[in-house]
Amino acid sequence: MKNIAERHNYILDKLNRKGYVSVVELAKDLDVSLPTIRKDLEALENQNLLVRSHGSASPVKPRVLDLSINVKTEKNKTEKKIIATAAQKLISREDAIILASGSTVTAFASILEPIGSINVVTPSLGIAILVNDKENVNVTVLGGKMYKNSLSVRGEYAASGLKNISCSKLFIGCDGIDRQTGITCATTEEASLTNAMMQAADKTIVLADSTKFGRRGFGKICQLEDIDMIITDEGLTPEMKEHLEETGVQIVIAKGE
């Protein structure tokens, strides 16, 4: 049996590699009792090195800030362009899609190339303007209260515009993807509207660069198993990819040329 310092180093190393650790798994790995592992995790949590939750532990996750769309657009621009290019390959002839707000979805909207005539529904004024300039795109803009940070609408009025709409695909961004919490964003209002958009689409596709993994936003959109696909970049760890696939989510790793 390893001593306390060795156990703590083992736990933190495994946490760094896998993104989470199980109490039962650690007890087996280290050949110690469950109470011993729980004490180890409590000690590490007191040092702000991890967060305990329901028989497991996760890294300390920085809470995301509700930044403006202009600030977000300047972050990870190369990765967002690569992800957008991969998303374009999912567009079919005569498609009907919903494009949520967010910088990565906006990057996708900017390069969207319709195959035949398509319908696009969006709560984002910026995205509506981008796709309206493209040929063979019919744009429906949801109404509601304008949210300045994202230049998009929110609220019950926006959600009500989705009741008579049926789309094949929904493309959303997010601020956090976490094993336990699921898909999150900065505000509950955005989370609520995104959930309503999910009900209006056959398939939900998350566009998120790899920096979003292991982070949490205040507004919870859904659990991991509620989405169909995540398109991300090569920064996603193999361990996180494996876990996501175990939940039934299809993972697409977008690669640059």
Side-chain angles (χ1 to χ4, degrees):
M1 183 178 71
K2 298 177 182 293
N3 61 38
I4 293 176
E6 289 173 331
R7 292 201 307 272
H8 287 186
N9 287 335
Y10 179 90
I11 292 169
L12 293 174
D13 178 66
K14 189 164 188 175
L15 189 60
N16 183 57
R17 288 184 288 106
K18 293 193 64 176
Y20 70 97
V21 287
S22 160
V23 171
V24 173
E25 186 179 80
L26 287 173
K28 182 179 179 180
D29 290 348
L30 296 169
D31 192 25
V32 296
S33 67
L34 295 178
T36 296
I37 290 299
R38 292 192 183 101
K39 288 180 181 178
D40 287 338
L41 295 181
E42 182 179 8
L44 291 170
E45 185 177 48
N46 289 338
Q47 297 175 56
N48 200 34
L49 295 174
L50 54 77
V51 177
R52 292 182 298 157
S53 177
H54 308 298
S56 64
S58 302
V60 175
K61 299 171 178 64
R63 291 284 177 176
V64 299
L65 300 176
D66 186 18
L67 303 175
S68 74
I69 186 68
N70 293 329
V71 172
K72 289 183 177 181
T73 298
E74 296 303 312
K75 294 178 176 289
N76 306 310
K77 295 177 72 171
T78 300
E79 288 79 5
K80 290 173 182 176
K81 183 177 180 180
I82 292 171
I83 291 168
T85 301
Q88 167 61 35
K89 297 177 182 178
L90 301 178
I91 300 301
S92 305
R93 185 176 298 276
E94 307 300 325
D95 225 339
I97 65 174
I98 305 174
L99 298 179
S101 60
S103 58
T104 310
V105 180
T106 300
F108 172 40
S110 69
I111 68 162
L112 178 65
E113 295 181 9
I115 302 174
S117 178
I118 69 170
N119 289 298
V120 174
V121 179
T122 183
S124 167
L125 295 189
I127 287 176
I129 292 170
L130 279 173
V131 297
N132 188 62
D133 287 338
K134 301 176 184 292
E135 294 184 4
N136 301 320
V137 177
N138 303 307
V139 184
T140 299
V141 186
L142 299 176
K145 183 178 179 180
M146 173 65 74
Y147 187 71
K148 292 183 179 181
N149 270 6
S150 63
L151 297 179
S152 64
V153 295
R154 306 278 175 84
E156 294 181 5
Y157 190 73
S160 68
L162 296 162
K163 291 181 179 178
N164 297 318
I165 289 175
S166 176
C167 292
S168 54
K169 304 177 186 77
L170 161 66
F171 294 88
I172 69 172
C174 67
D175 290 306
I177 301 175
D178 177 67
R179 176 178 178 268
Q180 294 175 330
T181 310
I183 310 297
T184 56
C185 57
T187 69
T188 56
E189 293 83 4
E190 181 182 358
S192 179
L193 181 58
T194 303
N195 198 267
M197 290 188 286
M198 291 174 67
Q199 308 310 310
D202 297 330
K203 189 172 186 178
T204 299
I205 302 158
V206 177
L207 308 183
D209 67 76
S210 57
T211 65
K212 303 296 177 63
F213 293 87
R215 295 173 64 85
R216 292 180 183 178
F218 180 66
K220 180 172 180 176
I221 297 172
C222 64
Q223 291 296 127
L224 291 173
E225 55 265 28
D226 296 324
I227 61 173
D228 299 284
M229 178 186 294
I230 296 175
I231 304 179
T232 188
D233 58 75
E234 294 180 279
L236 180 67
T237 64
E239 291 81 10
M240 179 60 78
K241 180 177 184 292
E242 180 181 0
H243 170 73
L244 292 169
E245 290 175 335
E246 287 175 353
T247 66
V249 180
Q250 181 181 355
I251 305 299
V252 175
I253 305 297
K255 299 181 179 180
E257 298 180 357

